[in-house]
Amino acid sequence: MSQALIDQAREVMEGNDRGSYTVPTHGLYPFQWNWDSALSALGFSHFDMNRAWVEVETLMAHQWDDGMVPHIIFHEPDDGYFPGPEVWKTGQVIPTTGITQPAVAGFAVRKLYDRSNDKAVARERLAELLPKVHAWHQWFYRDRDPDGTGLVAIIHPWESGRDNSVDWDEALEAMPIEGVAPFTRRDTTHANPDHRPSDEQYKCYIWLLEHFRGLGWDNAKLHDASPFRLVDPGFNGILIRSCDDVADLAEVLGDTSMASEARTMAVKGRAALESLWNRTLGQYTCYNRAAGHLQSTPTVAGLLAAIADVPHGRADELVRRIALLGQRCGYLVPSHDPADGAFDSLRYWRGPTWLIVNYLIAEGLGRSGQGEMAQRILADSLKLIQKSGFAEYYDPMSGEPCGGGSFTWTAAMVIEILKTKRVPA
Ligand code: DGY
């Protein structure tokens, strides 16, 4: 069974392979997406290590001069997607968007290096890539944490990767959205509109884009100028973990100054993460930096923080919280608590279960000695694949497939889980 699943997953990945990068899926997402790519490299690493490195190398080749790594790279024109390069107008030679995404590349590169049999070649590739990944992390703490709190803010919901999460409702509702140029969505022609963000949310997404474009995409200005400044525990957890991985890899390369800078960022970030602990819920929650308060939205962001090697007591509490969610749904880990009124089992990040998130939570819990819950999450992930194929996300109650089909990173996670996590399928 495992080999058959791996073969099917590989076929999905190869179908979305454009040579030096993969598209998340045909139609809905026809370009290279940042965290999709880095996580997809993990899948490639089990059958084509060179291709795995190339995936991350292509992504990092489009890093901006200030260190930011953009969330989409528009390699080829495709009018099936909105908003395309003519809307973003970021002025890059190969067009990109002007915002970023979760910093999983450092985490992925660490896995690629550890898995490479030919360490001499891997070391050469690492020597090229690592300074770029480190510069991205430095950019985060410089431009997205200007007050030096140890936690970075996202300035657009798309940066989180969790576009329409309930985490953003309060901030989006407070935003002025007058004057947005009329536009036509393309996503709802490729996927069921009931599975996608609402039109009101799209207006906010485009308002923010136009606002930042009006400021010339100058990252030194955007944080303070954005009415949307959210500190997401999952996003920060990923960044902290990647800083730790960069520190370890810099030691391998003998670059002691990079190692110590990266370690300092991780240590500071991990300590600051504690300010996001929500005692009432027993998990981390988002901090609305523009409004100045910790939110109580019970989303998966606060569980995803487990990737950051949180203190043992916290990992215990996160496991208790996930077990409770497990009583409320059929397939862990729902992106929103089913007991909350805003839960929607089909709508993108307002309820559905995502394999990449499951993998990252399980990875963190496993490292924190919570192997039993990690295995349960991974077993649920494989049940979803067996029931519903390689979808973008799944209804956590029924296990039905949602969003796009033949999805690259879902397939990559299946290969990664079956090859590394010893979960029976
Ligand atoms: C989309 O277009 O749905 C993306 O999530 C933006 O990154």
Side-chain angles (χ1 to χ4, degrees), residues 28-29 33 71-72 81-83 101 158 161 163 187 196-197 202 348 392:
L28 185 59
Y29 302 120
W33 259 259
H71 108 287
I72 303 176
Y81 180 82
F82 174 86
Q101 257 191 334
W158 285 342
D163 304 7
D187 58 310
R196 296 287 304 171
Y202 253 79
Y348 213 28
E392 186 177 4

Side-chain angles (χ1 to χ4, degrees), residues 217-341:
W217 296 111
D218 178 354
N219 271 311
K221 296 186 187 148
L222 300 192
H223 175 278
D224 289 356
S226 177
F228 184 94
R229 294 195 298 282
L230 265 292
V231 179
D232 171 333
F235 192 97
N236 276 275
I238 289 170
L239 178 58
I240 293 164
R241 173 64 189 276
S242 281
C243 285
D244 268 330
D245 286 332
V246 167
D248 292 347
L249 291 170
E251 278 163 20
V252 169
L253 291 179
D255 189 333
T256 49
S257 78
M258 190 197 296
S260 110
E261 283 165 15
R263 193 74 69 200
T264 301
M265 295 192 292
V267 168
K268 187 172 173 184
R270 189 172 288 106
L273 195 58
E274 283 308 291
S275 67
L276 304 182
W277 185 257
N278 187 313
R279 282 183 198 192
T280 317
L281 282 175
Q283 64 163 83
Y284 298 92
T285 50
C286 282
Y287 177 74
N288 185 335
R289 187 176 273 171
H293 64 81
L294 189 66
Q295 297 190 164
S296 299
T297 36
T299 73
V300 78
L303 312 172
L304 188 50
I307 190 69
D309 293 346
V310 292
H312 277 294
R314 292 293 186 234
D316 289 343
E317 290 182 83
L318 291 180
V319 165
R320 273 200 288 281
R321 176 81 185 135
I322 296 169
L324 187 65
L325 295 175
Q327 291 168 15
R328 298 174 178 164
C329 73
Y331 301 88
L332 287 171
V333 178
S335 49
H336 195 82
D337 184 344
D340 187 69

Side-chain angles (χ1 to χ4, degrees), residues 37-249:
S37 247
L39 289 168
S40 300
L42 299 181
F44 279 123
S45 75
H46 297 290
F47 61 92
D48 186 344
M49 186 54 88
N50 175 56
R51 184 64 190 78
W53 282 101
V54 167
E55 186 75 24
V56 186
E57 286 162 355
T58 306
L59 173 67
M60 298 310 294
H62 298 274
Q63 181 166 38
W64 283 22
D65 289 343
D66 64 6
M68 186 187 76
V69 182
H71 108 287
I72 303 176
I73 298 142
F74 298 107
H75 290 281
E76 301 282 343
D78 191 314
D79 60 11
Y81 180 82
F82 174 86
E86 67 294 344
V87 183
W88 290 90
K89 291 195 178 79
T90 57
Q92 301 293 303
V93 179
I94 293 185
T96 73
T97 61
I99 55 173
T100 193
Q101 257 191 334
V104 281
F107 164 78
V109 166
R110 166 77 185 272
K111 297 253 185 233
L112 299 195
Y113 180 79
D114 287 351
R115 286 172 194 173
S116 290
N117 291 326
D118 188 340
K119 284 285 187 274
V121 170
R123 215 185 145 90
E124 273 176 35
R125 300 184 98 145
L126 190 62
E128 282 293 311
L129 267 181
L130 206 61
K132 298 180 182 174
V133 178
H134 183 53
W136 185 23
H137 298 171
Q138 288 177 310
W139 167 81
F140 266 121
Y141 287 112
R142 188 180 63 243
D143 282 356
R144 295 307 181 76
D145 181 23
D147 292 338
T149 65
L151 295 172
V152 302
I154 55 162
I155 58 169
H156 193 296
W158 285 342
E159 292 199 312
S160 67
R162 299 182 303 109
D163 304 7
N164 68 339
S165 169
V166 178
D167 282 332
W168 324 135
D169 287 2
E170 177 190 88
L172 296 184
E173 276 158 23
M175 254 178 49
I177 49 165
E178 313 80 55
V180 178
F183 60 87
T184 306
R185 289 176 64 174
R186 302 304 306 269
D187 58 310
T188 41
T189 62
H190 302 289
N192 183 339
D194 292 343
H195 298 181
R196 296 287 304 171
S198 68
D199 285 345
E200 270 315 289
Q201 285 159 345
Y202 253 79
K203 273 188 208 142
C204 297
Y205 303 155
I206 303 307
W207 187 92
L208 284 167
L209 185 166
E210 291 177 354
H211 182 55
F212 302 147
R213 192 181 61 203
L215 294 165
W217 296 111
D218 178 354
N219 271 311
K221 296 186 187 148
L222 300 192
H223 175 278
D224 289 356
S226 177
F228 184 94
R229 294 195 298 282
L230 265 292
V231 179
D232 171 333
F235 192 97
N236 276 275
I238 289 170
L239 178 58
I240 293 164
R241 173 64 189 276
S242 281
C243 285
D244 268 330
D245 286 332
V246 167
D248 292 347
L249 291 170

Side-chain angles (χ1 to χ4, degrees), residues 324-405:
L324 187 65
L325 295 175
Q327 291 168 15
R328 298 174 178 164
C329 73
Y331 301 88
L332 287 171
V333 178
S335 49
H336 195 82
D337 184 344
D340 187 69
F343 173 80
D344 181 336
S345 69
L346 299 175
R347 208 177 273 282
Y348 213 28
W349 288 95
R350 299 178 80 86
T353 293
W354 293 69
L355 250 67
I356 36 109
V357 169
N358 278 8
Y359 166 76
L360 292 169
I361 294 174
E363 164 82 14
L365 291 180
R367 283 167 62 102
S368 302
Q370 300 287 351
E372 203 177 311
M373 181 52 87
Q375 288 291 306
R376 184 174 159 195
I377 292 170
L378 296 173
D380 275 10
S381 307
L382 294 181
K383 280 187 207 149
L384 285 169
I385 299 298
Q386 280 157 338
K387 182 176 164 73
S388 296
F390 300 89
E392 186 177 4
Y393 44 95
Y394 304 85
D395 181 328
M397 312 312 250
S398 68
E400 273 169 57
C402 301

